[in-house]
């Protein structure tokens, strides 16, 4: 039986809470609410915790944001694809710029494309109301802002030698 890392669960919970509270700082672009803090949290989860925890935290944060009325159904595809790609990129090679690009591509392109059917089938929007690529641009703006902030934060942690200590502490 696989041992659950309580430290990782606690860190994921804290980062999830940061994403939910951070969604108070969102701005509308076309048909979606852009919440860059969610994307910052996705990258932090990917780097500190790995892809599984990143997806889990993205899902729980999206669910809580919807329950609390702080987000829309677009939060699910808009965060989970980016979290997955960022986590896989970091796990595979530990390259931070590639991890940031994974988040941006996963959220803006894959999440944006998957948001289209969600908008039509679950939110009742007509195809005439929204263009097929209507969610790619807002998701790109949101995820790029979050990637920049998280990149600065992670590079600062790395420069001062804190990043490796945090990662080692969470993996014990």
């Amino acid at each position: 039986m696989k041992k659950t890392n309580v430290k990782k669960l606690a860190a994921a919970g804290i980062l999830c809470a940061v994403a939910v509270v951070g969604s108070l700082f969102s701005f509308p672009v076309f048909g979606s609410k852009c919440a860059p803090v969610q994307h910052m949290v996705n990258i932090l989860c990917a780097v500190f915790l790995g892809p599984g925890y990143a997806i889990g935290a993205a899902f729980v944060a999206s669910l809580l944001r919807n329950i609390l009325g702080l987000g829309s159904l677009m939060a699910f595809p808009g965060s989970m694809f980016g979290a997955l790609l960022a986590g896989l990129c970091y796990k595979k090679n530990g390259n931070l710029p590639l991890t940031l690009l994974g988040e941006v591509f996963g959220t803006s392109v894959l999440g944006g494309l998957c948001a289209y059917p969600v908008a039509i089938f679950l939110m009742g929007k007509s195809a005439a109301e929204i263009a097929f690529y209507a969610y790619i641009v807002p998701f790109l703006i949101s995820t790029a802002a979050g990637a920049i902030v998280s990149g600065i934060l992670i590079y600062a942690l790395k420069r001062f030698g804190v990043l490796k200590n945090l990662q080692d502490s969470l993996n014990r």
Side-chain angles (χ1 to χ4, degrees):
M1 189 167 149
K2 195 172 185 178
K3 181 181 154 192
T4 302
N5 188 332
V6 176
K7 288 181 186 178
K8 280 189 172 185
L9 284 174
I14 291 167
L15 288 169
C16 184
V18 168
V20 173
V21 172
S23 68
L24 293 171
F25 307 104
S26 65
F27 52 93
V29 176
F30 300 122
S32 73
K33 282 185 177 179
C34 294
V37 175
Q38 175 67 57
H39 306 292
M40 178 193 75
V41 166
N42 285 352
I43 294 168
L44 293 176
C45 281
V47 170
F48 295 142
L49 307 172
Y53 284 94
I55 294 170
F59 175 79
V60 171
S62 297
L63 184 64
L64 288 172
R65 286 171 57 203
N66 274 277
I67 289 171
L68 296 171
L70 299 173
S72 70
L73 289 177
M74 299 304 129
F76 290 99
S79 66
M80 293 177 66
F81 283 103
L84 172 64
L85 257 56
L88 291 175
C89 287
Y90 195 79
K91 183 179 180 179
K92 186 76 174 167
N93 61 16
N95 184 336
L96 185 58
L98 189 60
T99 303
L100 300 175
L101 286 174
E103 166 67 26
V104 171
F105 179 79
T107 296
S108 63
V109 177
L110 299 179
L113 290 174
C114 289
Y116 181 75
V118 169
I120 290 175
F121 297 118
L122 297 178
M123 296 175 70
K125 305 257 184 194
S126 71
E129 269 183 61
I130 55 175
F132 185 68
Y133 299 103
Y135 293 107
I136 293 175
V137 173
F139 287 3
L140 178 64
I141 293 167
S142 182
T143 192
I148 290 168
V149 172
S150 64
I152 292 168
L153 180 61
I154 292 170
Y155 275 120
L157 291 173
K158 192 174 188 177
R159 183 168 184 246
F160 293 111
V162 177
L163 179 63
K164 185 71 173 150
N165 291 339
L166 276 171
Q167 290 171 325
D168 289 345
S169 173
L170 288 169
N171 288 318
R172 283 187 212 150

